[in-house]
Amino acid sequence: MVSPYFFALYIDNVVNKVNDSKLGCYMKWVCTSILLYADDILLVAPSVTSLQQLLHLCEQDLDWLDMSLNVKKSACIRIGPRFNINCCNIVTRDGRKLVWINVVRYLGVYVE
């Protein structure tokens, strides 16, 4: 069993790289690209293109740590006035597509 402290230590590099990219959403002039809780990673981006770039940055560092993204447990959701407009798929570095969903449950809270 991997200690949560070791996970936090290793994932810190992923967080720094993603935040340094400045591709995320800005809240009070602070770039917020990634949110973490336990072993869950939530990437936040203002556009589909930025989300694709953030995913590749995240995957690159996870790969270096010999960790990988579980596509079966991963999904994308659009929030805002254009939530129902079709857009291109988000694709992992090895070509697997992430599904688009209308409702997500995160930490017991449903977002739609």
Side-chain angles (χ1 to χ4, degrees):
M1 179 176 209
V2 176
S3 163
Y5 298 109
F6 282 127
F7 178 78
L9 181 67
Y10 286 114
I11 206 70
D12 197 46
N13 287 334
V14 176
V15 172
N16 290 336
K17 187 169 192 174
V18 168
N19 278 334
D20 289 346
S21 72
K22 305 293 185 205
L23 292 169
C25 293
Y26 283 80
M27 294 180 210
K28 294 203 176 201
W29 303 282
V30 176
C31 185
T32 305
S33 314
I34 187 168
L35 303 170
L36 302 168
Y37 183 78
D39 63 346
D40 289 336
I41 299 173
L42 182 67
L43 296 175
V44 182
S47 70
V48 176
T49 302
S50 294
L51 182 59
Q52 181 69 69
Q53 293 170 332
L54 284 175
L55 178 67
H56 285 310
L57 283 173
C58 192
E59 280 186 298
Q60 184 178 351
D61 265 27
L62 288 174
D63 189 42
W64 186 81
L65 295 169
D66 200 26
M67 298 171 78
S68 63
L69 177 74
N70 186 342
V71 175
K72 292 179 183 176
K73 290 185 174 182
S74 301
C76 301
I77 186 169
R78 287 181 82 177
I79 299 172
R82 297 172 41 119
F83 75 95
N84 60 347
I85 296 174
N86 290 333
C87 58
C88 61
N89 290 315
I90 301 294
V91 182
T92 63
R93 292 186 336 162
D94 60 357
R96 296 174 293 158
K97 295 178 185 175
L98 298 184
V99 297
W100 285 97
I101 57 175
N102 296 322
V103 178
V104 64
R105 182 174 175 244
Y106 188 69
L107 303 178
V109 177
Y110 287 91
V111 178
E112 45 180 308

